[in-house]
Amino acid sequence: MARTTDSDLAPHELRVLVAVADTGGFSAAAGALGLTQSAVSHSVRGSERKIGAVLFERSRTGARPTPAGEKAVAHARRILRLLDVLTTEARGAARTDAVEGPLRIVTFRSAALQLLPPVLERLRARHPGIEPRVRIVREVGRGAAGEVADGKADIGIATLGGSMPLPGGLVASGLFEEPYALVYAAGHRAPRSLPLVDWAENCGSYTRAWWAAQDWIPKATIEAEDDGAVLSLVSGGHGMAIMPALSLAGAPNSVEITDLGPDRPTRRVGYVTTSELAASAVVRALVRELRAAAPEGMRPAADALRLPSRDAGTWAAARQR
């Protein structure tokens, strides 16, 4: 039997690291964990000694993870989640049809509004023991995939493709190709003459080449907070926009949607999870429902893609327009 060594971190030490990172200080972490501040400090010092690196920058205002600390905390979250999965699946092993436990999902706004509701409805009907927990994040910078890499979510619905590498230890698979279309106020005779309304999440590396080749698209003069605000501005006649299909689902009658032709841009929507959780029962159950729920008229994406891993900073930079 393998024995622990003095350099091994115990689960309670991992929980302390995560608590300090989440609360921003030793005192707050102590309160969250029901420990004394000295116990938290002692645990963090012990973890730093075992790892051989300073994990937190201490100050009068709290504690902030160092670069080494950020990596350690991300791994700690993922390890603790695997321990939860181990316990849940081992307990349910005697019941072959039992899929249960929490499932942390992160996604961007339009997918949360248009894709997830029927998926979660079917998931709950088939597996009432699963407890989905959904968070919506902006699909910029590290986006949904970054949340998964940091151990804050089990699976992320994200935009994939192009030259965007994923942080290490993640796997991704495409679900469908989402086409872009031109949208403008109903009845306008020359929509391409209108100013452009845009938002930060729109048009990443997957559409950049197409976008740059269109001399009729002006520089955005109106920057909105999200795709819902874009639709509202376009509906009011303040400009035109180029938007993906999920953002246009349920668009009001006050706007018209025009196909951009056979060379129109698309973005690839898929899921991202960790290599460890990809085989877990709760993640596999959600993936089955996601694959069965590709929106009508959208071309299925190539399956089972493992994107190259690179430094998270490089990946974040690739996500910028």
Side-chain angles (χ1 to χ4, degrees), residues 189-279:
R189 295 182 179 179
R192 294 193 178 198
S193 67
L194 292 169
L196 178 67
V197 185
D198 206 1
W199 80 104
E201 289 178 83
N202 196 25
C203 185
S205 61
Y206 32 76
T207 58
R208 187 184 300 131
W210 179 91
W211 198 285
Q214 311 303 309
D215 57 9
W216 59 274
I217 303 179
K219 184 176 180 180
T221 55
I222 304 175
E223 291 280 351
E225 179 64 24
D226 56 39
D227 51 354
V230 170
L231 268 181
S232 179
L233 289 164
V234 168
S235 177
H238 298 289
M240 57 88 171
I242 298 168
M243 305 181 71
L246 284 178
S247 295
L248 294 174
N253 294 331
S254 53
V255 302
E256 291 187 24
I257 301 170
T258 299
D259 191 282
L260 290 168
D263 295 326
R264 67 191 177 192
T266 64
R267 71 175 179 180
R268 192 179 196 210
V269 177
Y271 67 87
V272 178
T273 187
T274 66
S275 54
E276 313 94 65
L277 286 175

Side-chain angles (χ1 to χ4, degrees), residues 50-156:
K50 292 177 180 179
I51 293 172
V54 176
L55 303 180
F56 293 95
E57 294 178 356
R58 284 83 157 169
S59 70
R60 293 181 179 178
T61 58
R64 184 176 64 180
T66 63
E70 289 177 353
K71 290 184 179 296
V73 169
H75 284 296
R77 288 194 184 102
R78 288 164 64 168
I79 292 168
L80 291 171
R81 178 62 179 129
L82 280 178
L83 291 175
D84 290 340
V85 170
L86 181 155
T87 301
T88 300
E89 295 198 356
R91 285 174 178 169
R95 295 172 293 154
T96 57
D97 60 341
V99 180
E100 57 189 23
L103 175 61
R104 304 172 303 161
I105 306 165
V106 63
T107 185
F108 55 97
R109 181 181 180 275
S110 59
L113 292 176
Q114 307 300 335
L115 180 64
L116 266 186
V119 167
L120 294 181
E121 183 178 355
R122 288 194 300 270
L123 184 71
R124 288 190 175 101
R126 294 180 183 178
H127 305 288
I130 292 181
E131 306 162 22
R133 303 170 186 174
V134 180
R135 279 192 311 115
I136 300 174
V137 298
R138 299 185 74 194
E139 191 67 341
V140 294
R142 300 178 73 229
E147 296 291 301
V148 176
D150 290 343
K152 297 178 180 179
D154 303 326
I155 185 170

